[in-house]
């Protein structure tokens, strides 16, 4: 048996790992058994990216949610009846915690009665075998795989298999789900499941999909990595109508979806992981008139605030574009500050849809030039520290000034940056030792330099003294390029030296 715990830990981001450890601890403290379940386990096994962490506890997750909130997690949706919490863990990591439950159908197709249950019953009530696998997070069995419906072998065979003959009757939304998973994963539908699927279509069960369930699937499609393959699978089976007849008639905006996918790639390359569900939803609905979009969202159960967030999104993005093109954004630093705060999904939308080249070139500069410079800013700080300026608000201000200059193309090399730093701070290059001994500085110059240098100079002076002390005691001075008292050209090297100076205080 592969070591699932090892697999999991090696695949989780640091934030996801922290979230998992916390849920594990809290569950243990409350005496609940806890498992990773559903999509998380499926994606782990298939090697797909782990988008979110789905936990199932044998108990009520609300206490765990309260504790997580104290640690900075945000509860997005809490369904007290279903004992299900969707959250954003600290560090922007998506997840859910659900109570283990069994759905008991008095007759196929009736609303299920909920019974709190063990993990095994919970797994058996799920939709497809590939979604019905769990990994134990309990101390005595950590890493153990629970697979009561043999999902692992279906994954190996690349098949989506429903768990009972009543699967589609009990929940017709599974007609959309089975196609979504098969399309997303490139899997076949298992032959018997296909028969049940065909039978359900023959009986027109797709017309009985609850509007909110259809809405949830539409949202799920917008969150897919490749929404187009899912939408096409639904169209091929004439199931898009189950979501919206207007959408089925006018078709999803495949071109707009394609543009947004390309933008997502560009954002990935620039080091971002944007959440594009809203612009993707708009791309899907792009061929519909505004009022058609509004009525579609209302029909599939979007609450008015949710609808408004989608429908006003475009307006907000265009407003941002206007600002970006305005007079106030002439200096790159101002455009940088603005773009830094602009929600990534709005930026992505503009990248995909805008025809204003001036706005686009600013966004491109932000992603490909300005951000990398920003990420290199700790190097400038190290350089400044090595020049002898103590950290603090003034220090930060100098670093920001250098950053603003860098955005205009200045300070490309460490030497240029040092010059700029000296100019801003007034920290003079120390004359070479021998010269100093030979030719003491004029009183007026000295006073001027001291005033300009302020604290920085004092600090630097103290450091020089400390160096001298080392020399007097016959100890080697901290590592520094020989004969140089100013910052070394390589940022990396200057850090330990300046740190040591501080610690000697
Ligand atoms: P995704 O990667 O799209 O989030 P997921 O498998 O996590 O996929 P969710 O809709 O988040 O899908 O549901 C989480 C889990 O809950 C599923 O893996 C499945 O086990 C179970 N589930 C969801 N919807 C149903 C349903 N209609 N019937 C039975 N089980 C369901
Ligand atoms: Mg999920």
């Amino acid at each position: 048996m592969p070591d699932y715990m090892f697999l999991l830990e090696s695949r989780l981001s640091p934030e996801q790992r922290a979230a998992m450890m916390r849920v594990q601890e809290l569950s243990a403290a409350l005496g609940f058994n806890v498992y990773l379940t559903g999509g998380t386990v499926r994606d782990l096994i298939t090697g797909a990216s782990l988008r979110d962490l789905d936990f199932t506890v044998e108990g009520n997750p609300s206490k765990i949610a309260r504790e997580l909130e104290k640690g900075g997690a945000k509860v997005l949706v809490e369904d007290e009846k279903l004992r299900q919490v969707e959250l954003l863990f600290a560090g922007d990591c998506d997840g859910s915690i659900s109570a283990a439950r069994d759905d008991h159908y008095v007759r196929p197709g009736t609303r299920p009665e909920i019974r709190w249950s063990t993990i095994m019953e919970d797994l058996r009530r799920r939709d497809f075998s590939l979604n019905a696998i769990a990994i134990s997070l309990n101390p005595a069995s950590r890493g153990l795989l629970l697979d009561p419906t043999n999902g692992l072998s279906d994954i190996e065979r690349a098949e989506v298999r429903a768990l009972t003959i009543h699967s589609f009757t009990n929940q017709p939304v599974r007609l959309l789900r089975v196609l979504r998973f098969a399309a997303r994963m490139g899997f076949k539908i298992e032959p018997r499941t296909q028969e049940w699927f065909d039978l359900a279509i023959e009986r027109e069960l797709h017309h009985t999909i609850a509007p909110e369930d259809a809405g949830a699937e539409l949202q799920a499609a917008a969150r897919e990595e490749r929404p187009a393959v899912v939408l096409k699978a639904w169209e091929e089976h004439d199931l898009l109508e189950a979501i919206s007849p207007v959408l089925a008639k006018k078709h999803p905006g495949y071109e707009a979806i394609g543009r947004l996918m390309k933008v997502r790639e560009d954002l990935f390359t620039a080091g971002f992981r944007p959440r594009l569900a809203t612009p993707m939803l708009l791309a899907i609905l792009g061929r519909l008139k505004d009022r058609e979009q509004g009525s579609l969202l209302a029909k599939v159960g979007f609450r008015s605030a949710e609808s408004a967030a989608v429908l006003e999104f475009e307006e907000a993005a265009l407003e941002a574009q206007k600002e970006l093109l305005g007079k106030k954004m002439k200096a790159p630093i101002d455009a940088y500050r603005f773009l830094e705060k602009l929600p990534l999904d709005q930026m992505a939308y503009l990248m995909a849809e805008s025809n204003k080249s001036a706005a686009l070139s600013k966004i491109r500069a932000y992603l490909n030039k300005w951000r990398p410079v920003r990420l290199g800013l700790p190097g400038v700080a190290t350089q400044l520290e090595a020049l002898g300026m103590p950290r603090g608000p003034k220090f930060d201000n100098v670093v920001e000034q250098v950053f603003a200059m860098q955005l205009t193309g200045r300070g490309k090399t460490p030497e240029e940056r040092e010059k700029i730093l000296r100019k801003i701070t007034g920290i003079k290059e120390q004359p070479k030792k021998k010269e100093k001994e030979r030719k003491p500085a004029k009183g007026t110059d000295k006073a001027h330099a001291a005033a300009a240098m302020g604290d920085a100079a004092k600090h630097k002076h103290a450091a020089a003294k400390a160096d001298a002390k080392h020399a007097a005691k016959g100890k080697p001075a901290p590592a520094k390029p020989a004969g140089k008292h100013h910052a070394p050209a390589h940022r990396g090297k200057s850090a330990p030296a300046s740190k040591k100076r501080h610690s000697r205080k």
Side-chain angles (χ1 to χ4, degrees):
M1 184 185 89
D3 181 346
Y4 290 102
M5 221 52 229
F6 173 75
L7 236 187
L8 181 62
E9 284 178 8
S10 59
R11 295 273 317 280
L12 294 184
S13 68
E15 294 77 21
Q16 287 175 325
R17 191 171 320 176
M20 184 177 80
M21 300 307 286
R22 192 75 190 114
V23 172
Q24 238 171 255
E25 276 168 22
L26 291 168
S27 305
L30 289 164
F32 295 162
N33 286 326
V34 61
Y35 305 86
L36 265 174
T37 46
T40 312
V41 179
R42 179 198 63 225
D43 293 343
L44 173 74
I45 292 169
T46 57
S49 62
L50 295 179
R51 300 195 297 180
D52 48 17
L53 297 179
D54 295 325
F55 299 94
T56 300
V57 292
E58 289 175 343
N60 190 337
S62 85
K63 274 192 195 151
I64 300 177
R66 296 293 82 74
E67 287 304 312
L68 289 170
E69 274 180 317
K70 286 183 199 161
K74 267 192 222 133
V75 169
L76 304 176
V77 185
E78 185 156 8
D79 185 331
E80 284 175 17
K81 255 206 229 149
L82 274 186
R83 297 193 180 169
Q84 213 163 39
V85 191
E86 272 174 44
L87 2 85
L88 203 56
F89 289 101
D92 230 17
C93 135
D94 281 302
S96 71
I97 312 178
S98 312
R101 67 163 205 267
D102 190 11
D103 292 338
H104 179 73
Y105 298 86
V106 181
R107 263 181 300 112
T110 54
R111 270 188 98 76
E113 211 177 86
I114 292 164
R115 294 176 183 168
W116 308 121
S117 73
T118 64
I119 185 70
M120 284 304 197
E121 288 157 314
D122 180 287
L123 293 175
R124 287 199 183 91
R125 61 113 194 135
R126 291 180 183 242
D127 47 3
F128 311 114
S129 63
L130 51 73
N131 284 343
I133 312 174
I135 293 177
S136 165
L137 298 177
N138 304 307
S141 58
R142 211 163 166 263
L144 185 76
L145 198 78
L146 308 181
D147 182 17
T149 65
N150 227 355
L152 211 52
S153 74
D154 289 317
I155 290 177
E156 269 162 25
R157 271 201 296 270
E159 285 183 350
V160 188
R161 180 168 60 84
L163 296 183
T164 112
I165 192 169
H166 302 302
S167 186
F168 298 115
T169 317
N170 284 342
Q171 290 199 35
V173 68
R174 291 174 184 165
L175 294 166
L176 291 170
R177 288 177 68 83
V178 72
L179 293 178
R180 183 159 66 83
F181 288 116
R184 176 210 285 188
M185 301 171 75
F187 279 20
K188 297 179 294 296
I189 297 180
E190 180 263 343
R192 232 161 28 131
T193 306
Q194 184 68 53
E195 280 172 29
W196 298 337
F197 178 93
D198 295 340
L199 203 64
I201 297 288
E202 219 176 280
R203 290 169 51 206
E204 305 205 336
L205 288 185
H206 49 296
H207 295 312
T208 66
I209 296 175
E212 312 79 65
D213 289 348
E217 279 303 299
L218 177 63
Q219 270 181 305
R223 281 196 304 266
E224 286 284 331
E225 258 169 50
R226 293 175 303 145
V229 295
V230 172
L231 293 161
K232 282 184 181 151
W234 286 345
E235 282 204 296
E236 274 164 28
H237 291 81
D238 291 330
L239 280 186
L240 202 51
E241 241 174 272
I243 291 175
S244 155
V246 190
L247 183 60
K249 192 169 149 231
K250 294 202 167 180
H251 306 289
Y254 289 115
E255 303 80 16
I257 294 171
R259 285 194 293 274
L260 201 55
M261 302 262 295
K262 164 83 181 58
V263 165
R264 176 158 52 199
E265 285 298 309
D266 293 347
L267 287 169
F268 273 178
T269 312
F272 292 99
R273 299 208 149 255
R275 291 161 190 272
L276 298 184
T278 306
M280 192 56 88
L281 188 55
L282 282 173
I284 294 174
L285 305 181
R287 295 192 178 177
L288 276 60
K289 295 195 179 105
D290 287 358
R291 68 178 158 74
E292 289 172 329
Q293 292 181 352
S295 79
L296 183 156
L297 294 179
K299 267 189 202 148
V300 296
F302 276 55
R303 275 167 284 169
S304 57
E306 288 171 334
S307 263
V310 176
L311 300 172
E312 286 160 18
F313 176 90
E314 186 183 10
E315 221 173 286
L318 292 177
E319 193 52 43
Q321 171 170 274
K322 209 164 129 196
E323 253 186 89
L324 193 56
L325 292 171
K327 276 187 202 147
K328 285 187 191 159
M329 299 284 158
K330 282 243 163 77
I333 187 67
D334 295 320
Y336 175 87
R337 297 247 178 274
F338 180 77
L339 288 169
E340 188 185 34
K341 293 208 184 88
L342 184 67
L344 264 184
D345 56 358
Q346 288 188 23
M347 189 184 294
Y349 176 82
L350 291 178
M351 288 167 79
E353 297 303 322
S354 170
N355 53 9
K356 302 272 189 230
S357 59
L360 288 173
S361 68
K362 276 184 184 163
I363 294 175
R364 273 197 290 270
Y366 170 78
L367 293 175
N368 306 325
K369 288 193 206 150
W370 301 344
R371 275 262 313 170
V373 171
R374 183 81 198 174
L375 295 176
L377 216 55
V380 175
T382 307
Q383 220 176 338
L384 181 56
E385 202 170 34
L387 288 183
M389 185 159 186
R391 292 204 178 241
K394 276 189 197 160
F395 180 102
D396 295 342
N397 192 288
V398 173
V399 173
E400 287 302 322
Q401 282 185 56
V402 175
F403 176 58
M405 291 168 87
Q406 283 181 295
L407 296 192
T408 62
R410 297 184 55 195
K412 282 195 174 136
T413 65
E415 291 77 14
E416 277 171 34
R417 285 196 290 276
E418 187 181 324
K419 267 191 203 154
I420 294 173
L421 285 169
R422 287 189 184 282
K423 194 160 177 214
I424 299 174
T425 56
I427 298 174
K428 293 264 155 60
E429 212 163 331
Q430 276 219 345
K432 297 221 168 74
K433 265 185 193 164
K434 280 184 186 162
E435 280 176 6
K436 199 177 165 189
E437 280 159 18
R438 257 192 286 125
K439 204 173 141 194
K442 279 182 194 165
T444 46
D445 281 0
K446 229 177 173 178
H448 178 75
M453 286 153 86
D455 285 353
K458 277 184 223 148
H459 186 80
K460 169 98 184 181
H461 194 64
K465 256 190 177 171
D467 280 354
K469 221 156 118 191
H470 267 285
K473 283 186 182 172
K475 283 183 197 165
K480 259 193 310 185
K484 276 191 184 176
H485 282 260
H486 55 81
H490 302 290
R491 310 165 190 172
K493 281 186 185 164
S494 58
S498 53
K499 262 189 201 147
K500 275 184 194 157
R501 281 179 194 168
H502 280 296
S503 63
R504 260 189 260 138
K505 273 191 169 180

